[in-house]
Amino acid sequence: MPGPIQSLSRAAAIMRLLAGGERRLGLSEVATALGLAKGTAHGILRTLQQEGFVEQDPESGKYQLGAELLRLGQSYLDVHELRARALVWADDLARAAGETVYLGVLHQQGVLIVHHVFRPDDTRQVLEVGSMQPLHSTALGKVLVAYDPVARGELGEGPLEAYTGRTLTDLADVDAEAALTRERGWADSIEETWEGVASIGALIQDRRRNPVGAVCVSGPVERVCEDGFVRPSLVASVRSAARAISRDLGAGRF
């Protein structure tokens, strides 16, 4: 098994050092505290500064932690708060719908599954927390694309990957569906990613009404759909769960 990468270990040590004590240290102080040569310490600090993890005071020349760490930390806290607030509602949704429930957030060019409630039956199921789903062909992804400009930007210029014969691969079609999602307040995906699988998703907002994730019900087409359309009762259940989670995150009534 390979050992740790020395430069990364040293960078982590520098950030821990800056996080404690005086919080703002000069190059010599950092090098001395960690037993590093000045040139080595300066190279690591310069790289961390370029990435936004460290900032240098223009007057004193001393270093402190940068805003990028705050952004990453806030993202970490937001995801964990989202999951914590959603636990009860996601369980209730799975029981009411009798199907699998996913909670997803935007991550790079896809949807990261941060919570997964098994379908309430005795069939064998695999936990999918940590897996990724496509943005343009899943109910979770469609919701995020509709409400989050960052998610829409992650689709690039197209054409998009076709997973089945029903996948929308043209950006104009994706944008039209996003407009429909905003108009009706929910998204669906019927065999657009996996044959025989349909899903219904709705937006979750935080206290500032920012899109922070989505929740969806997913299951076999024959149970989620009726006469070629998703069941209205499931749409109502998903939207109700999304509103409840959003209220718990401070979004108020909407």
Side-chain angles (χ1 to χ4, degrees):
M1 181 177 178
I5 299 174
Q6 188 180 57
S7 59
L8 292 180
S9 296
R10 288 172 171 174
I14 288 176
M15 288 190 286
R16 291 193 188 98
L17 180 65
L18 294 175
E22 296 294 326
R23 294 183 179 271
R24 188 177 285 182
L25 299 171
L27 172 60
S28 296
E29 294 170 305
V30 171
T32 300
L34 298 177
L36 299 174
K38 276 190 179 182
T40 300
H42 184 251
I44 296 172
L45 284 165
R46 186 173 64 249
T47 301
L48 291 172
Q49 185 179 0
Q50 290 171 349
E51 296 297 329
F53 297 129
V54 164
E55 296 173 356
Q56 186 177 28
D57 182 70
E59 295 183 5
S60 67
K62 291 189 175 184
Y63 295 90
Q64 63 184 22
L65 293 179
E68 182 66 11
L69 279 176
L70 177 62
R71 187 188 70 81
L72 292 177
Q74 187 62 48
S75 175
Y76 175 85
L77 292 174
D78 285 349
V79 167
H80 280 262
E81 182 182 9
L82 170 62
R83 185 177 182 277
R85 298 289 186 180
L87 290 177
V88 172
W89 300 111
D91 285 348
D92 288 348
L93 177 58
R95 282 194 294 271
E99 301 294 346
T100 299
V101 170
Y102 295 112
L103 189 71
V105 299
L106 176 65
H107 181 67
Q108 297 177 350
Q109 291 155 346
V111 183
L112 174 66
I113 302 302
V114 297
H115 187 53
H116 173 195
V117 183
F118 284 164
R119 181 176 57 257
D121 60 24
D122 295 327
T123 60
R124 183 178 180 275
Q125 300 172 67
V126 178
L127 186 66
E128 295 184 45
V129 171
S131 65
M132 295 289 292
Q133 293 188 4
L135 279 171
H136 65 288
S137 62
T138 61
L140 291 173
K142 289 182 180 183
V143 168
L144 295 175
V145 167
Y147 290 98
D148 189 343
V150 176
R152 173 58 180 83
E154 291 290 356
L155 294 180
E157 299 180 358
L160 303 170
E161 182 175 354
Y163 298 99
T164 73
R166 300 187 61 158
T167 307
L168 299 181
T169 59
D170 187 276
L171 285 175
D173 294 333
V174 172
D175 287 338
E177 182 129 342
L180 176 62
T181 296
R182 290 189 293 271
E183 179 182 334
R184 65 189 184 183
W186 54 275
D188 64 1
S189 172
I190 303 175
E191 296 189 288
E192 294 180 45
T193 309
W194 303 282
E195 298 283 357
V197 177
S199 56
I200 306 163
L203 179 70
I204 299 171
Q205 296 175 302
D206 66 8
R207 61 184 62 86
R208 297 177 297 275
R209 295 298 183 94
N210 293 325
V212 294
V215 61
C216 86
V217 158
S218 179
V221 171
E222 60 269 22
R223 293 204 301 259
V224 175
C225 299
E226 185 175 22
D227 298 326
F229 299 94
V230 293
R231 296 178 183 273
S233 60
L234 290 180
V235 172
S237 295
V238 172
R239 296 190 70 189
S240 178
R243 286 193 293 266
I245 298 168
S246 298
R247 284 197 299 269
D248 277 4
L249 287 170
R253 301 186 65 85
F254 65 95

